[in-house]
Amino acid sequence: MFGDMMGMMNKLKEAQEKVEATKKRLSFVMVDEQSSDGLLKITITANREVKNVSIDDELLKDKEQLEDYMVLTMNKAIEKATKIHEAEIGAAAKDGMPDIPGMNDMLK
């Protein structure tokens, strides 16, 4: 029993290490999003850190329009990055988890 417990603890530690490594890797995964007309482009990491914002001069003429574009485009970029982040972290965590009876049913 003690050996099984130590094995599970080691597996949990490995899972935690895989998740941390995945988080670091996601800092280098870039997600690009742009407005429907291409006047605003945003690049963020899969960890949801903004890396670049490109604004066409045409948008600089209308502050309210620029603000609307920023909100819409940023939210789309964050949504994409979040999906990638959750899928990658979830896969890393599940891959490293010890085989605990009934655990797979709880994770569904």
Side-chain angles (χ1 to χ4, degrees):
M1 179 74 166
F2 184 70
D4 290 344
M5 188 65 131
M6 288 301 293
M8 282 197 295
M9 294 300 287
N10 286 337
K11 286 289 266 181
L12 287 172
K13 184 177 179 187
E14 288 175 23
Q16 184 178 18
E17 289 170 356
K18 284 184 181 185
V19 167
E20 290 304 315
T22 300
K23 285 181 183 178
K24 287 179 184 175
R25 183 178 57 78
L26 290 175
S27 293
F28 300 99
V29 174
M30 298 299 152
V31 177
D32 295 315
E33 187 58 61
Q34 66 179 4
S35 59
S36 59
D37 56 10
L39 297 178
L40 175 68
K41 298 175 183 172
I42 296 174
T43 301
I44 67 174
T45 69
N47 281 331
R48 298 167 297 251
E49 180 182 348
V50 177
K51 288 296 186 177
N52 189 49
V53 176
S54 174
I55 303 169
D56 190 276
D57 289 341
E58 184 179 322
L59 284 176
L60 297 177
K61 299 172 188 172
D62 185 345
K63 180 180 181 278
E64 192 173 306
Q65 182 183 15
L66 175 57
E67 290 170 345
D68 290 344
Y69 271 55
M70 287 293 293
V71 169
L72 291 171
T73 307
M74 188 66 72
N75 282 335
K76 287 195 300 185
I78 291 169
E79 183 179 343
K80 277 185 179 179
T82 298
K83 286 180 181 177
I84 292 168
H85 186 272
E86 288 176 356
E88 292 290 323
I89 295 296
K94 186 176 181 182
D95 182 46
M97 289 296 285
D99 187 22
I100 301 171
M103 182 63 89
N104 286 338
D105 295 333
M106 291 174 54
L107 296 175
K108 289 182 183 178

